[in-house]
Amino acid sequence: MSAVRLLLLSLLCALFVSLSHGACAEVDSDTEAVAGKGFKLGCISCKMRPEVEASATVDWYFKAKGEADFAHIYNYDEEGQHIVDERFEDRVDWSGSKQSNDIQDASIYLFNVTFNDSGTYRCFFHRLLTYEFYEYQTVVSKLVHLTVVAKATRGTASIVSEVMMYVSIIGLQAWLYIEMVYCYRKISAAGEEALRESANAEYLAIASESKDNCGVQVAE
């Protein structure tokens, strides 16, 4: 039983290590950009189960103030980025998850912001979850209401959002660290217990063998 318990604890510890590498926290995007400057349109969608393999593609849509419909402006997939709307040609760059098809951060960076960029942006995650015996397709969307101003007037909501982002990330990492320490101690304790049981079993075996030898000698 000790060996089984030790194996289970080792697997649990490995799981927490993998989670620590894939830590993800969903935070809202800033909503105020300054004309002539750059701006990051944030869009994060964390998987509910980080251990599940997945791949995703991303689409961004834009509806300017006064317009009725969204226009497709940007796409990102395994081949890279594709700027669809000429209004954003040479002005958008990918700022999300890199070197992985498992996209959880779909943020983009907008260069040389103009007042015409004010409006509503919508990003879509088209995510394919791969399980052992089947695949499952999900679609997640996020909205960003962007206002372009002549001079920066950073609001309280933006400050609170940034603070909460760091608090969430630090809290998650601290929790994972505590769990890994707990895991390590459990594994160490289980290993020591297994060694003691093995030593006791070996001692009993030697004692039993010695007793049998003594019995044989007495009989002779």
Side-chain angles (χ1 to χ4, degrees):
M1 289 300 294
S2 297
V4 174
R5 191 160 60 249
L6 181 61
L7 177 59
L8 290 175
L9 287 170
S10 300
L11 292 174
L12 181 62
C13 192
L15 174 61
F16 280 118
V17 171
S18 66
L19 289 177
S20 68
H21 289 292
C24 177
E26 292 190 17
V27 293
D28 294 332
S29 173
D30 286 338
T31 58
E32 184 179 277
V34 179
K37 304 292 185 179
F39 182 78
K40 182 178 179 178
L41 287 165
C43 182
I44 300 175
S45 173
C46 301
K47 291 187 302 185
M48 297 299 294
R49 294 178 58 184
E51 75 277 8
V52 176
E53 292 186 7
S55 61
T57 61
V58 174
D59 288 289
W60 277 89
Y61 291 79
F62 171 59
K63 182 174 69 175
K65 288 186 176 180
E67 294 183 357
D69 300 319
F70 281 91
H72 190 197
I73 63 171
Y74 183 89
N75 167 263
Y76 187 89
D77 55 27
E78 66 277 1
E79 296 180 357
Q81 69 174 1
H82 312 277
I83 300 174
V84 181
D85 193 312
E86 62 182 11
R87 290 175 295 178
F88 295 89
E89 192 69 36
D90 297 326
R91 291 205 303 125
V92 177
D93 195 20
W94 180 250
S95 187
S97 303
K98 294 180 172 62
Q99 298 180 344
S100 173
N101 290 329
D102 186 4
I103 300 171
Q104 299 185 73
D105 183 353
S107 303
I108 57 176
Y109 194 83
L110 184 60
F111 297 96
N112 191 24
V113 175
T114 70
F115 290 104
N116 291 331
D117 295 327
S118 294
T120 303
Y121 293 80
R122 190 170 190 176
C123 76
F124 284 89
F125 288 84
H126 304 276
R127 180 173 288 140
L128 180 65
L129 302 171
T130 304
Y131 296 91
E132 185 176 359
F133 299 110
Y134 68 97
E135 295 180 336
Y136 184 73
Q137 181 81 43
T138 66
V139 179
V140 177
S141 67
K142 304 275 186 174
L143 285 175
V144 180
H145 301 282
L146 180 63
T147 300
V148 179
V149 297
K151 185 178 179 181
T153 56
R154 192 179 187 193
T156 303
S158 174
I159 297 174
V160 171
S161 176
E162 185 171 343
V163 170
M164 289 304 298
M165 175 187 70
Y166 289 114
V167 169
S168 298
I169 293 174
I170 292 172
L172 180 60
Q173 294 291 351
W175 175 77
L176 289 169
Y177 175 77
I178 292 171
E179 290 291 346
M180 284 191 292
V181 170
Y182 173 78
C183 240
Y184 173 77
R185 290 180 176 177
K186 280 290 188 179
I187 291 174
S188 297
E192 291 175 1
E193 182 180 351
L195 288 174
R196 284 196 299 269
E197 291 181 358
S198 177
N200 289 337
E202 184 176 353
Y203 172 79
L204 291 174
I206 294 173
S208 177
E209 184 178 352
S210 298
K211 183 177 179 180
D212 291 341
N213 291 336
C214 288
V216 172
Q217 291 176 0
V218 170
E220 291 176 352

